């Protein structure tokens, strides 16, 4: 499976933020291992004239997903804090589009498409194929990929550029199976690179 990279493609880098990396408030094991393959991928997309989007979890201090508010998570990715910043080694192209999500205190949104009005600009730019990588496999990556596939985008997940929370053992593996069942294709960054070379 070597998809050809052109401007009908967009790369969606999901939540590569300090709080989801080792040492962060909601650390994903080896979360920082996604940075290098995503940097490589972002450079390939930029060279192909394809859009790069980076999402960030961007919560108010009293967000409904935090335990003090009855949610499942420790306080994480509070807007404007160091934990909410992108991993310092992440290299985004100058014209990358940054999208904040789950900004309202009462709104949880694991999916990029949970924020209204994001699909139309992609469609208007002729984007039909989305390549998704980042954190976390079993939450924001999964829901973004499932939503993308449901909306009719040809949807690829970058198998070597995702890591999961695995609150229950096997959650990430199950997430991958669920994505595949929904028609999402798994590709490696190397396969994407080969698609550019042709
Ligand atoms: C995420 C848990 C809580 C994610 C965000 O980015 O996958 N997971 N907030
Ligand atoms: Zn969150």
């Amino acid at each position: 499976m070597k998809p050809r990279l052109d401007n009908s493609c967009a790369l969606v880098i999901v939540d590569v933020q300090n709080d989801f990396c080792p040492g962060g408030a909601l650390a994903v094991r080896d979360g920082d291992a996604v940075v290098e393959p995503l940097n490589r991928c972002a450079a390939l997309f930029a060279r192909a004239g394809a859009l790069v989007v980076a999402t960030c979890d961007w919560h108010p201090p009293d967000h409904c997903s935090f335990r003090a508010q009855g949610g499942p998570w420790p306080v994480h990715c509070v807007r404007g804090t160091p934990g909410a910043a992108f991993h310092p080694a992440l290299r985004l192209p100058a014209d990358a589009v940054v999208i904040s999500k789950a900004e309202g205190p009462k709104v949880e949104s694991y999916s990029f498409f949970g924020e209204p009005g994001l699909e139309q600009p992609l469609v208007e730019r002729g984007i039909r194929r989305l390549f998704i990588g980042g954190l976390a496999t079993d939450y924001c990556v999964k829901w973004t990929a499932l939503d993308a596939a449901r909306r009719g985008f040809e949807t690829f997940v970058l198998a070597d550029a995702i890591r999961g929370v695995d609150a229950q053992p096997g959650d990430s593996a199950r997430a991958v199976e669920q994505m595949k069942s929904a028609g999402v294709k798994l590709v490696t960054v190397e396969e994407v690179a080969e698609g550019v070379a042709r």
Side-chain angles (χ1 to χ4, degrees):
M1 176 82 246
K2 287 173 193 152
R4 232 181 58 77
L5 211 54
D6 58 27
N7 58 14
S8 73
C9 300
L11 173 63
V12 180
I13 297 178
V14 177
D15 298 3
V16 182
Q17 293 165 270
N18 289 323
D19 271 344
F20 296 124
C21 291
L26 180 36
V28 171
R29 179 148 41 111
D30 291 335
D32 52 348
V34 305
V35 171
E36 196 268 345
L38 288 174
N39 282 347
R40 181 176 180 211
C41 217
L44 292 169
F45 275 65
R47 207 163 352 119
L51 180 70
V52 176
V53 177
T55 69
C56 51
D57 213 28
W58 200 251
H59 298 315
D62 58 346
H63 190 249
C64 60
S65 77
F66 300 164
R67 284 179 193 137
Q69 278 64 241
W73 303 116
V75 172
H76 66 279
C77 296
V78 173
R79 59 182 180 223
T81 62
F86 287 129
H87 187 284
L90 186 68
R91 292 286 164 265
L92 296 176
D95 57 354
V97 174
V98 175
I99 304 283
S100 321
K101 57 181 184 52
E103 287 185 288
K106 298 205 161 55
V107 187
E108 179 57 306
S109 173
Y110 291 135
S111 167
F112 168 91
F113 294 101
E115 305 295 322
L118 293 181
E119 182 177 3
Q120 194 55 26
L122 296 180
V123 173
E124 277 164 13
R125 288 177 72 135
I127 291 167
R128 292 176 288 101
R129 299 193 288 169
L130 296 182
F131 293 71
I132 300 167
L135 306 170
T137 309
D138 36 359
Y139 291 94
C140 289
V141 169
K142 177 178 92 170
W143 289 112
T144 297
L146 292 176
D147 267 0
R150 186 165 50 217
R151 283 158 204 257
F153 291 96
E154 189 179 5
T155 306
F156 299 87
V157 162
L158 300 164
D160 51 341
I162 54 174
R163 291 295 185 279
V165 176
D166 286 317
Q168 303 296 325
D171 278 356
S172 292
R174 281 188 289 274
V176 166
E177 288 314 308
Q178 203 180 334
M179 290 189 276
K180 283 190 192 163
S181 304
V184 174
K185 293 163 207 161
L186 267 87
V187 290
T188 63
V189 173
E190 181 57 32
E191 286 169 327
V192 174
E194 287 167 15
V196 183
R198 277 181 310 149

